Amino acid sequence: MFAQTEQQFIFFKTWNFIKYYHPDLASGKVNADSLFLANVKGVNTNDDFNSVINKLTSKLNKNFTTPAPIETSKDLMLQNQNFDWFQKNKKISDGNKDLLNNIYKHRYNFENLPKGKLVSDEKEYPFPKTENLPLEYRLLALAKIQGVVDYLFPHKYIMDKGIDEYFSNSLDENSKVNSRKNFEVILAKLVSKFKDSHAFSFYKQLNYKKDIYHMIYLAPFDFQIVDDHILVTHLILPELCSKAQIKVGDKITSINGKSISQIIKEKGELLSTSNREKLVYVLSKYENNLIWPDDLPQKTLELKSAKSNKKVSTKIDMIDTSNKEKYEIIVNYLQDKIKKLESRKITHKDIAYFKINETLGFINNVDDDKIDAEMDSILSSASQKKAIVFDMRAYPDWGGFPYHYIYKYFSPAENYFGKYYKPNLKNIGTFIYKDYDYFPSIPDKTTHNYKGKVFILVNPETRSASEWYSMSLQKIFPQSLTIGQQTSGGDGDLVKVKLPGDYLLEFTGNGIFYPDNSQTQQIGVRINELIKYKDQDILDKKDLEFERVLNDLK
């Protein structure tokens, strides 16, 4: 069986290569998907690599007249583009190597795509939600993911080095798949390899997510993961907890015989996050309900009792999500919890506090021609304070606040705080530095040089645009301290690719770096002080970042 996988792998690699480079396929003159579907089932163990390549290329135009566009840019990300799979492959004939090299030398220039068309556009192939996809459409979905990795994902070079081998194993697994659920497990595992927080949402696309992630039952208590245990933080349904003798402050170390560390590791193989901090953060969210290792309605928990400090084993009855009455209690608790969390802020006479997801309110009821004056007044007032706090632990509700107004009031004229690489349309699979609009053009700009303290608060909720603006603030205020926990590590624009079966794969489409080329993908923004919460801090509902700021001002 594995032999056929080898042929399929070369089929995929060749197909993606001609799909993104051959002028007729890349331009859409020849439909790439149709070429794939017409030939993929004909690939078998009797094929050698050359016959696989011939199946795809025999009917294609090979007389090219337009050479590839000349590369004029000096600053490029080239580390993903690698053609060793054919150029160094002894099983591929010189003739086929020449053919593929010739296609690349006459590759399509995606700058010529019709207006409104994107490189990432893919056709939809809907199937009934419970029906397993026919083999050729499952293979097409896997091939498209491979193409995304090789040609559209800027950070392939920091994915696991064994991604091609892992891909071959997925093909092997796919050949044995007999249900839609099993196929979705393959998809989830493959997408987790992106290690990209933008791709985290993929699990929500799966029709069998409740089974795959064991989301059928809810806990009667709220919790947070700390290191290698789950801390019980609140009893939502006290009578069920009391029956199991579970109290606030108890530390759960295993569920049905599986250690918490083992569960986190297994979940990480099914969910895409850029770093472990983000993974633990999303698993800690009660409303995600992603932490459970199985579907048993009763869980056996090993825990360390908060009261006696002794190790105890207990059984807890979980809540079936279809139990309306109990489900309502949980929903009300969560709504209240989220409301409290969203209302946290610093109120102190010497501090100007800005929360990145609550800035649009400054101008909601202000006439357009008075917005500049209103923002000037707000920032002028902030500049009189001893400290300014930017709370970036959320997604921005108005980019104009950091991009335009903070820059306009406080920044020197130049604010090159990062480097932005976009897909290089002349040579897809490489990425090109863009002299991006890092800051707006403001004629006669004046600068108010702020001498006070500046704090930038971050955590795994600081993602994408929030990470980007945090980098900008770090540059505008060189004296600033960035404090908190590792950020999401998925900065850059979101790209969406449709896969057969009504799945939407989202991922980071740009390379974002600091000006010295240091990495932000997977790592997140630079942090001056990492703040770590202990169990008691969480139980006391502390905001250690706020405490750190207030202590500094004493």
Side-chain angles (χ1 to χ4, degrees), residues 176-232:
K176 302 169 194 145
V177 158
N178 54 12
S179 71
R180 182 70 169 260
K181 179 190 159 186
N182 290 351
F183 179 59
E184 291 193 337
V185 170
I186 291 176
L187 290 179
K189 284 181 175 174
L190 211 43
V191 172
S192 82
K193 290 285 180 191
F194 278 73
K195 289 211 170 112
D196 177 25
S197 296
H198 268 141
F200 169 68
S201 62
F202 186 72
Y203 86 91
K204 296 175 184 171
Q205 302 281 318
L206 305 177
N207 303 308
Y208 286 92
K209 59 180 174 287
K210 283 196 162 178
D211 302 320
I212 295 168
Y213 297 95
H214 310 298
M215 300 163 76
I216 293 163
Y217 295 100
L218 291 159
F221 54 84
D222 198 358
F223 56 85
Q224 190 162 331
I225 302 169
V226 186
D227 300 326
D228 58 354
H229 61 270
I230 290 176
L231 178 71
V232 177

Side-chain angles (χ1 to χ4, degrees), residues 113-163:
L113 267 185
K115 202 169 163 41
K117 289 289 243 185
L118 299 170
V119 184
S120 54
D121 285 347
E122 295 286 351
K123 194 177 166 213
E124 286 184 56
Y125 297 96
F127 287 93
K129 285 184 185 325
T130 53
E131 186 184 296
N132 193 17
L133 271 62
L135 175 65
E136 63 269 37
Y137 286 95
R138 298 203 306 272
L139 290 168
L140 183 62
L142 297 178
K144 288 188 179 194
I145 295 174
Q146 190 194 59
V148 164
V149 170
D150 282 351
Y151 298 97
L152 302 181
F153 184 50
H155 300 290
K156 178 188 177 178
Y157 64 94
I158 46 171
M159 288 172 80
D160 290 343
K161 291 292 169 266
I163 185 68

Side-chain angles (χ1 to χ4, degrees), residues 313-351:
S313 179
T314 186
K315 287 181 162 48
I316 183 95
D317 292 321
M318 302 287 281
I319 314 299
D320 190 328
T321 48
S322 64
N323 182 324
K324 285 213 174 85
E325 188 190 343
K326 286 178 175 159
Y327 187 65
E328 202 171 311
I329 294 171
I330 290 170
V331 169
N332 290 337
Y333 161 73
L334 281 176
Q335 285 172 339
D336 185 53
K337 175 188 167 184
I338 290 162
K339 206 184 285 173
K340 281 179 182 153
L341 190 66
E342 284 175 351
S343 63
R344 65 180 179 182
K345 58 172 179 279
I346 295 184
T347 39
H348 188 287
K349 64 179 174 47
D350 294 327
I351 297 173

